[in-house]
């Protein structure tokens, strides 16, 4: 499966705006904050984080070595140039570095937090950081119509492509071993745009493999996309779930969803799995037929799903955490640990060993939760106490769990 899973194209998605509006903040606030990269010392008092420390075998087993329900202290904490809006693809860990979307775009060493490289105007704020075949693909932060590929370990440019002058700012939405998939506005003679195009760029030559104009009224922002074999699947704010053939760009099928999903979906083998309010539905990629569905508890709505080590994890608004077989929708386990602890619901998951890490939205009872992946038991919750209005994001390199909160990036032992 492509690592373009569940990405969002566009500077600011409606889901992000709704989250910010719910917190009573404006987009002007989102753009504010410190830039650069410096050591963050623990000062004590409100908003401080535990002092960095090194781990040892005596610290415990699993769950970041937390003990007695307490979160481990971060190995390091940095203030970054991050400019994020809450989507999973704005923080990545690869090739020994961790990268958060921002200006400048900076890569920090996973082990120490030291800066490895930095690029001014390297990324468009809010656009995804897409990883594929050892390359980091970005929409140009210079807004010059380019899509650029970089070696994530060094920051060196390795690939560049342009869709054409008649299109405005193509934004990558997904990537596989052969192509980078983009959406862009189609320019009118007066410089305005009423339609948009979806296209595939060859990831070796940069040449346009195909391009298809999307229907009038569709939007180029807020698209979540993934690639599975010969299927490019994506959702948008017009309640469309669409699948195209990756070789030709031709539409295989499209259907209206009952609810608009503002977050990522999941793809497993020949299925696309989409949360729609109180229902979680799986559709066949080949023809769009429904294969299974799961109902949340009464008055509860499903959040965003994540596939981790072959298990589908998803929480609902009633603070129940579900582990499901993605092929059948059958329950592996169901946990009320979130409700019992009166903590907030996670919306993004990563796993290391036997521990599942979940990142929440803005709430003070949230942060990064660590769960037993076999039972759903809550081990601990990490929160930096800053009260920052941004959603938490998590990524892992298998040795660390990186937790981004606003401009604070913490490396937790995995």
């Amino acid at each position: 499966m492509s690592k373009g899973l569940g990405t969002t194209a566009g500077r600011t998605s409606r889901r992000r705006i709704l989250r910010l509006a719910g917190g009573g903040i404006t987009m002007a606030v989102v753009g504010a904050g410190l830039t650069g990269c410096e050591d963050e010392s623990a000062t004590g008092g409100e908003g401080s984080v535990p002092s960095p420390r090194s781990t040892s075998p005596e610290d415990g087993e699993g769950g970041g070595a937390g003990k007695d329900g307490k979160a481990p202290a971060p190995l390091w904490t940095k203030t970054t140039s991050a400019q994020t809006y809450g989507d999973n693809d704005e923080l990545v860990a690869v090739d020994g570095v961790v990268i958060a979307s921002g200006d400048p775009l900076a890569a920090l060493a996973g082990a120490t937090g030291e800066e490895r490289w930095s690029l001014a105007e390297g990324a468009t704020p809010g656009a995804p950081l897409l990883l594929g075949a050892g390359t980091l693909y970005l929409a140009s932060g210079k807004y010059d119509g380019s899509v650029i590929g970089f070696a994530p370990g060094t920051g060196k440019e390795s690939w560049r492509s342009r869709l054409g002058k008649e299109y405005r700012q193509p934004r990558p939405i997904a990537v596989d071993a052969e192509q980078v998939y983009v959406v862009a506005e189609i320019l009118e003679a007066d410089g305005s745009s009423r339609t948009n195009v979806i296209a595939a760029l060859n990831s070796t030559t940069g040449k346009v493999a195909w391009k298809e104009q999307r229907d009038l009224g569709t939007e180029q922002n807020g698209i979540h996309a993934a690639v599975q074999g010969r299927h490019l699947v994506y959702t948008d704010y017009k309640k469309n779930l669409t699948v195209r053939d990756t070789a030709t760009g031709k539409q295989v099928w499209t259907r209206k969803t009952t609810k608009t999903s503002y977050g990522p979906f999941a793809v497993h083998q020949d299925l696309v799995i989409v949360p729609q309010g109180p229902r979680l539905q799986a559709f066949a990629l080949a023809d769009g037929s429904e294969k299974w569905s799961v109902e949340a508890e009464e008055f509860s709505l499903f959040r965003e799903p994540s596939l981790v080590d072959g298990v589908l994890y998803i929480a609902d608004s009633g603070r129940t955490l579900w582990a499901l077989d993605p092929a059948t929708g059958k329950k592996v386990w169901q946990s009320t640990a979130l409700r019992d602890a009166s903590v907030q619901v996670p919306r993004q998951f990563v796993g290391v060993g036997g521990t599942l890490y979940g990142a929440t939205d803005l709430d003070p009872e949230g942060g990064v939760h660590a769960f037993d992946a076999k039972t759903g038991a809550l081990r601990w919750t990490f929160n930096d106490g800053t009260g920052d209005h941004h959603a938490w994001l998590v990524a892992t390199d298998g040795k660390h769990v990186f937790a981004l909160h606003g401009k604070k990036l913490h490396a937790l032992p995995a």
Side-chain angles (χ1 to χ4, degrees), residues 121-147:
E121 300 180 323
T124 301
L129 307 177
L130 291 186
L131 294 170
T135 302
L136 174 67
Y137 294 98
L138 306 171
S140 173
K142 296 181 179 180
Y143 300 95
D144 59 3
S146 298
V147 179

Side-chain angles (χ1 to χ4, degrees), residues 305-381:
S306 294
L307 271 170
V308 179
D309 297 329
V311 178
L312 183 73
Y313 296 100
I314 190 168
D316 64 38
S317 60
R319 302 191 187 188
T320 297
L321 181 62
W322 305 63
L324 304 173
D325 180 342
T328 63
K330 292 183 179 179
K331 189 188 307 179
V332 178
W333 51 254
Q334 194 172 8
S335 170
T336 61
L338 293 166
R339 188 186 312 162
D340 298 340
S342 298
V343 295
Q344 293 302 318
V345 172
R347 39 154 297 277
Q348 179 198 7
F349 299 94
V350 298
V352 183
T355 302
L356 180 71
Y357 299 89
T360 74
D361 273 334
L362 323 176
D363 309 273
E365 295 83 11
V368 175
H369 301 312
F371 304 93
D372 185 320
K374 294 182 179 180
T375 66
L378 180 63
R379 290 174 170 169
W380 49 259
T381 297

Side-chain angles (χ1 to χ4, degrees), residues 85 106 118 128 176 210 271 302 307 329 385:
Y85 298 88
S118 178
D176 59 22
W210 53 258
L271 299 175
F302 279 116
L307 271 170

Side-chain angles (χ1 to χ4, degrees), residues 36-386:
C37 183
E38 61 185 7
D39 286 327
E40 186 67 21
S41 60
T43 58
E46 185 175 356
S48 65
V49 297
S51 299
R53 63 164 176 81
S54 60
T55 58
S56 66
E58 290 77 22
D59 285 333
E61 296 182 1
K67 296 173 100 178
D68 301 324
K70 295 181 180 179
L75 301 174
W76 53 260
T77 295
K78 297 286 182 176
T79 298
T80 72
S81 58
Q83 295 173 302
T84 62
Y85 298 88
D87 269 313
N88 302 354
D89 44 45
E90 295 174 312
L91 180 70
V92 297
V94 61
D95 289 352
V97 298
V98 56
I99 307 169
S101 181
D103 187 13
L105 185 70
L108 307 183
T112 64
E114 296 178 359
E115 185 176 293
R116 287 278 184 85
W117 55 261
S118 178
L119 293 172
E121 300 180 323
T124 301
L129 307 177
L130 291 186
L131 294 170
T135 302
L136 174 67
Y137 294 98
L138 306 171
S140 173
K142 296 181 179 180
Y143 300 95
D144 59 3
S146 298
V147 179
I148 309 172
F150 299 91
T154 64
K156 301 296 184 182
E157 182 177 325
S158 59
W159 180 89
R160 180 181 288 258
S161 180
R162 292 177 62 92
L163 188 57
K165 293 183 178 179
E166 64 269 37
Y167 305 102
R168 178 160 49 203
Q169 191 58 16
R171 296 160 179 155
I173 58 171
V175 60
D176 59 22
E178 298 179 355
Q179 296 178 149
V180 182
Y181 303 90
V182 301
V183 291
E185 296 176 340
I186 301 174
L187 292 175
E188 304 290 341
D190 61 358
S192 65
S193 177
R194 296 184 297 113
T195 54
N196 64 92
V197 67
I198 187 165
L201 308 174
N202 186 283
S203 58
T204 300
T205 65
K207 293 182 179 180
V208 178
W210 53 258
K211 55 186 175 182
E212 293 285 331
Q213 181 172 328
R214 299 179 67 218
D215 293 341
L216 185 66
T218 57
E219 301 175 6
Q220 70 278 2
N221 293 331
I223 294 175
H224 289 82
V227 185
Q228 181 79 317
R230 289 216 27 194
H231 297 110
L232 170 66
V233 55
Y234 57 92
T235 56
D236 62 30
Y237 292 138
K238 298 296 183 180
K239 300 184 180 180
N240 297 310
L241 174 62
T242 304
V243 172
R244 291 182 181 270
D245 187 307
T246 58
T248 65
K250 298 301 181 183
Q251 186 171 286
V252 178
W253 58 265
T254 187
R255 63 180 295 157
K256 287 292 184 181
T257 56
T258 56
K259 297 284 185 181
T260 298
S261 174
Y262 295 113
F265 52 84
V267 173
H268 175 74
Q269 296 179 354
D270 58 349
L271 299 175
V272 52
I273 304 166
V274 184
Q276 300 189 73
R279 296 186 72 197
L280 183 65
Q281 291 178 279
F283 302 102
L285 287 171
D287 58 14
S289 59
E290 182 178 312
K291 294 301 181 181
W292 59 257
S293 68
V294 172
E295 295 284 340
E297 295 181 351
E298 190 175 10
F299 307 121
S300 294
L301 305 176
F302 279 116
R303 301 295 301 271
E304 298 93 328
S306 294
L307 271 170
V308 179
D309 297 329
V311 178
L312 183 73
Y313 296 100
I314 190 168
D316 64 38
S317 60
R319 302 191 187 188
T320 297
L321 181 62
W322 305 63
L324 304 173
D325 180 342
T328 63
K330 292 183 179 179
K331 189 188 307 179
V332 178
W333 51 254
Q334 194 172 8
S335 170
T336 61
L338 293 166
R339 188 186 312 162
D340 298 340
S342 298
V343 295
Q344 293 302 318
V345 172
R347 39 154 297 277
Q348 179 198 7
F349 299 94
V350 298
V352 183
T355 302
L356 180 71
Y357 299 89
T360 74
D361 273 334
L362 323 176
D363 309 273
E365 295 83 11
V368 175
H369 301 312
F371 304 93
D372 185 320
K374 294 182 179 180
T375 66
L378 180 63
R379 290 174 170 169
W380 49 259
T381 297
F382 173 81
N383 193 308
D384 57 15
T386 64

